Amino acid sequence: MGASNSTLHDSAPVTFSQDLVDTLADNAASPSPSPARQNTIDTQIRARIQAELEHLRAEDQAVRDQIQAALEKENLDRERTMAGDPDSVKTSPALLADLEEVRAKVDRFHARRDLSEYPALRETSEALVACYKNNLATPLDCWQQVDKFKASVAEIEKEHIKSLQ
């Protein structure tokens, strides 16, 4: 059983219709699939592309989250080192106190600039500024006002030194 070779002998020649031969030849000549098959392939490709895009977006978001966390840690570490004590970061009340201290220093600076206590100095200063404005091309013509201003400053310095003694 099955050990003998069976042979099939057909004595009639096999012939195909010309339409079948033409259809097979057209299909062999054009390697593109049918429109229905092409739709299926396109749908599968779009689905794969969409899945890959979602995967890449998720990876991108994960990387962004890691970068954000690293930057926050770096900023916190920098703030701690700037505060001097690595275990404490300045709080809002401490920062407000520092701001008030700076404001007080600015106010003291502006109070020192007030020349109302020294009318002679104020007058010579104003005369010097006016001379410079009037002689933009020849500022050396203001040498007399400069000497008067220097003399006023010297007088105020002497008074200040006497008040300290």
Side-chain angles (χ1 to χ4, degrees):
M1 292 195 14
S4 67
N5 288 339
S6 60
T7 58
L8 178 64
H9 294 282
D10 259 89
S11 59
V14 177
T15 59
F16 298 103
S17 72
Q18 190 58 36
D19 289 337
L20 179 61
V21 171
D22 290 342
T23 303
L24 290 175
D26 288 343
N27 285 344
S30 67
S32 60
S34 69
R37 175 77 176 131
Q38 186 64 43
N39 264 351
T40 305
I41 292 171
D42 288 347
T43 304
Q44 290 174 346
I45 290 173
R46 282 189 197 102
R48 286 183 186 171
I49 290 173
Q50 190 63 32
E52 187 64 23
L53 275 174
E54 289 174 11
H55 175 71
L56 290 174
R57 285 184 182 136
E59 283 183 358
D60 183 51
Q61 188 60 41
V63 168
R64 287 175 191 259
D65 291 344
Q66 289 175 351
I67 290 172
Q68 183 69 26
L71 287 174
E72 287 175 1
K73 183 182 181 305
E74 182 180 325
N75 287 340
L76 186 60
D77 291 344
R78 185 179 305 130
E79 287 176 2
R80 286 181 179 160
T81 56
M82 288 175 67
D85 183 10
D87 294 328
S88 70
V89 176
K90 289 194 172 188
T91 60
S92 293
L95 291 174
L96 287 174
D98 290 347
L99 182 62
E100 288 301 320
E101 181 181 335
V102 169
R103 283 184 184 155
K105 287 179 181 179
V106 168
D107 290 341
R108 280 188 300 222
F109 174 76
H110 286 299
R112 286 184 198 154
R113 288 185 62 198
D114 185 23
L115 301 178
S116 62
E117 296 177 22
Y118 309 105
L121 181 64
R122 185 171 38 107
E123 289 172 13
T124 57
S125 171
E126 289 172 358
L128 180 61
V129 170
C131 183
Y132 278 143
K133 286 182 180 179
N134 292 334
N135 297 303
L136 291 175
T138 56
L140 294 177
D141 291 343
C142 298
W143 65 272
Q144 292 174 335
Q145 286 80 4
V146 171
D147 286 343
K148 289 179 183 177
F149 180 74
K150 285 182 181 180
S152 297
V153 171
E155 283 296 318
I156 293 172
E157 285 176 345
K158 286 179 188 175
E159 288 176 20
H160 184 67
I161 290 173
K162 285 181 184 177
S163 70
L164 294 175
Q165 292 176 348

